[in-house]
Amino acid sequence: MASPLRNPRNALLLIAFVAGVFYLLAPLKTAPPSNKAFGFTDETLPARVRSYERIYQKVLEGRAKLIQKFGPTPKDVAMFPPDKDPWPPYTVWDFFPPAFNCPHEIERVGQLGDGGKWVCGLDRLQDKPDCVIYSFGINGESSFEAEVLERTQHCQIWGYDFSVRSFGPQIPTFSLRRTHFKAYGLSGKDSHGPQDKPKMYTLQSLMEMNGHTHIDLLKIDVESWEFDVLNAFVKPYVESGKPLPFGQLSIELHLWNRKFPEFLAFWEMLEEAGLRPFFQEMNMVYNNYAKGGEPELSEYSFLNIKGNNVFVIDPPVYNVHGSRPVDY
């Protein structure tokens, strides 16, 4: 029996049918999602950041209403009120949600559990020639630093922790040429005289010591010293109107003996400087086993939306020497 496809007319009809099917299905498989569906007509990176900032401003309105509800002033708000008083209950973290939309992919860098961090757009650093990472608080676990080294070509990591003698064993020997470790502490003021042990430095002093004008990723876990550190470092930038010299901040906040007005002022200072929280992770190991059970420790990741850092400009711009513009 002769095949119907041997008839030229039937063959052409079949080809046309198959082509039509592929034409109809192709958009379903390949068309990327568009921000236009959300009312955004400009899809450049700076435009997305501006749109997400408008959304974030609603959170500030919500915070003011929540303070009014449970206060009515900040001094009247408890960090962790007793059970059923008031009802429904709340915690301090309800006032500070990680409500900013990262304009890139969000992913866990490093191990699950203690040690890893949530980062926005790590691939922006993959080929960056002057990539700089600062990591405070090593504690023998360096899976975060190890993955950053593995996935980037040029990132150099400066690590500081006076409780250990080096980075953790997760960093391969061949990557050590891109790491720099000192057993120094991070503080709100310098204390590094001959008799000072451990030697303590401000973030500004360490940057000057290393000849750095910018940091791409700043990781801080310094057991409640973060308040002194960031108050000393951030306030001068807020007062001068200059952008902070880092792109992202991953930090563990320790609320031991803090009151709500103090923490609110600290957080609002970070916001005024351009830092926006895009991820939060409670330290459940501590919170589950700490005396009293109050969730006083929480990890936050912030994106800096001010200045020319690599996470908010598109495309990244380098000068002929492979360095960032001077107004970073």
Side-chain angles (χ1 to χ4, degrees), residues 8-300:
R9 180 183 178 187
N10 292 341
L12 289 174
L13 289 174
L14 179 61
I15 291 172
F17 174 77
V18 172
V21 170
F22 276 104
Y23 176 80
L24 292 173
L25 293 181
L28 298 177
K29 294 182 178 180
T30 62
S34 173
N35 281 330
K36 293 179 181 179
F38 301 96
F40 304 154
T41 57
D42 185 345
E43 297 190 0
T44 63
L45 175 55
R48 294 202 306 274
V49 171
R50 290 194 297 270
S51 296
Y52 300 155
E53 172 64 5
R54 288 195 293 270
I55 295 171
Y56 187 77
Q57 289 301 313
K58 296 180 182 178
V59 174
L60 305 187
E61 298 173 6
R63 181 191 304 156
K65 293 177 180 178
L66 204 61
I67 292 173
Q68 177 69 28
K69 175 180 178 181
F70 290 119
T73 68
K75 67 180 179 62
D76 300 314
V77 176
M79 300 288 269
F80 305 101
D83 292 343
K84 301 181 181 179
D85 182 22
W87 189 264
Y90 66 89
T91 75
V92 62
W93 305 116
D94 294 327
F95 296 81
F96 308 99
F100 192 82
N101 292 307
C102 162
H104 312 289
E105 73 283 358
I106 298 177
E107 58 180 314
R108 179 80 171 189
V109 178
Q111 72 174 15
L112 296 177
D114 194 35
K117 303 295 178 184
W118 291 94
V119 176
C120 169
L122 181 62
D123 63 343
R124 306 284 289 184
L125 302 180
Q126 181 177 353
D127 302 311
K128 189 173 186 287
D130 63 338
C131 174
V132 173
I133 315 292
Y134 274 36
S135 180
F136 294 95
I138 306 300
N139 196 27
E141 208 296 311
S142 296
S143 60
F144 169 81
E145 293 82 3
E147 184 170 344
V148 170
L149 291 170
E150 178 185 359
R151 294 178 53 187
T152 62
Q153 297 295 316
H154 308 290
C155 286
Q156 300 274 333
I157 301 181
W158 275 258
Y160 299 93
D161 190 333
F162 62 79
S163 70
V164 295
R165 300 179 64 181
S166 67
F167 284 102
Q170 293 81 9
I171 297 180
T173 303
F174 64 83
S175 294
L176 290 177
R177 60 185 174 80
R178 292 164 55 197
T179 64
H180 317 267
F181 178 84
K182 293 290 185 181
Y184 297 158
L186 183 65
S187 180
K189 60 182 180 179
D190 290 328
S191 178
H192 49 79
Q195 306 303 318
D196 292 323
K197 294 184 179 180
K199 296 184 184 301
M200 308 294 288
Y201 293 87
T202 65
L203 180 54
Q204 186 65 45
S205 292
L206 290 172
M207 291 182 68
E208 292 173 357
M209 184 187 308
N210 297 327
H212 293 148
T213 58
H214 82 275
I215 302 170
D216 292 291
L217 293 178
L218 173 60
K219 189 191 88 169
I220 297 178
D221 184 357
V222 290
E223 306 304 310
S224 84
W225 286 98
E226 63 270 12
F227 294 96
D228 291 344
V229 168
L230 291 179
N231 274 318
F233 185 78
V234 174
K235 281 183 178 179
Y237 285 93
V238 171
E239 292 169 355
S240 68
K242 296 180 180 179
L244 290 169
F246 57 82
Q248 277 186 56
L249 170 65
S250 294
I251 188 169
E252 182 166 51
L253 297 173
H254 307 74
L255 300 189
W256 301 320
N257 302 316
R258 303 285 171 181
K259 301 298 184 182
F260 186 83
E262 176 189 5
F263 185 62
L264 175 65
F266 172 79
W267 188 277
E268 290 180 337
M269 176 191 69
L270 300 184
E271 289 176 327
E272 187 175 358
L275 296 178
R276 298 292 181 266
F278 64 85
F279 208 94
Q280 179 189 20
E281 181 177 72
M282 300 298 297
N283 185 331
M284 295 309 300
V285 173
Y286 172 87
N287 293 334
N288 283 346
Y289 298 110
K291 183 178 180 180
E294 293 180 347
E296 297 173 305
L297 272 58
S298 183
E299 301 264 4
Y300 274 92

